[in-house]
Amino acid sequence: MDKCGFSKELYAESWLVHLAIGTQKRVHDWVRASAFDLNGMPTATHLNVLPLGSYSMLLGMDWLYIHRTKVDCYDKAIECVDDNGEPRVLQGNKKATSVRMVTTMQAKCSCKKGCVLFAVHISIDKEEVEDADVLSRYPVLQ
């Protein structure tokens, strides 16, 4: 609140909000028609004030409905219309994914915990697969 320079007002009556994590928080305060920039798209809405940890702001169903929002979780994008009715795509930060190496110690600990482990590292040509004893037993890998 302080970082954004918003001034909050007290509701006449507070109420409980059920959060997605299964807990409840009481709403006491709100911010009147706050203008903010949403990834390059200026917009405004009333805001309920809730302590939500690392989140700066959560947009509620009322804003999502008015802006005809479609959420693409896979591509981390939101398709919506801005306050002028123009279509917009708000792109989140994409994280690069890569193959993660597993150490021998991590594999050993996982097996001790009862995990079933399927680990494959192949650096041979297809012709050499028949010569690799373990790989030749699993034709689906060939």
Side-chain angles (χ1 to χ4, degrees):
M1 294 295 305
D2 298 331
K3 281 194 266 182
C4 299
F6 294 147
S7 59
K8 58 185 178 181
E9 299 179 33
L10 192 64
Y11 276 117
E13 261 184 67
S14 64
W15 71 91
L16 280 176
V17 173
H18 298 272
L19 302 176
I21 59 172
T23 61
Q24 299 176 355
K25 295 278 184 178
R26 189 158 289 279
V27 177
H28 299 280
D29 305 309
W30 68 292
V31 176
R32 186 183 306 271
S34 305
F36 55 93
D37 183 83
L38 187 63
N39 203 12
M41 183 180 101
T43 189
T45 189
H46 296 306
L47 300 172
N48 293 322
V49 179
L50 285 170
L52 294 174
S54 64
Y55 295 103
S56 299
M57 180 185 306
L58 295 178
L59 294 173
M61 289 301 291
D62 53 348
W63 189 94
L64 297 170
Y65 177 79
I66 291 168
H67 291 84
R68 298 173 38 199
T69 306
K70 295 178 185 171
V71 178
D72 182 346
C73 295
Y74 183 78
D75 288 326
K76 295 186 178 181
I78 297 174
E79 295 178 28
C80 63
V81 295
D82 62 17
D83 293 338
N84 299 320
E86 297 295 319
R88 299 289 292 258
V89 176
L90 307 176
Q91 183 65 56
N93 297 332
K94 291 186 176 184
K95 291 184 180 178
T97 56
S98 62
V99 177
R100 188 171 83 78
M101 300 299 285
V102 177
T103 66
T104 307
M105 187 58 97
Q106 289 171 319
K108 188 175 181 180
C109 288
S110 295
C111 287
K112 282 184 178 179
K113 291 178 183 177
C115 298
V116 178
L117 183 63
F118 297 95
V120 177
H121 178 78
I122 301 173
S123 62
I124 57 176
D125 293 330
K126 186 158 177 68
E127 295 80 37
E128 298 175 39
V129 170
E130 296 83 33
D131 298 333
D133 182 47
V134 173
L135 294 178
S136 63
R137 286 188 267 157
Y138 299 97
V140 75
L141 296 175
Q142 298 179 15

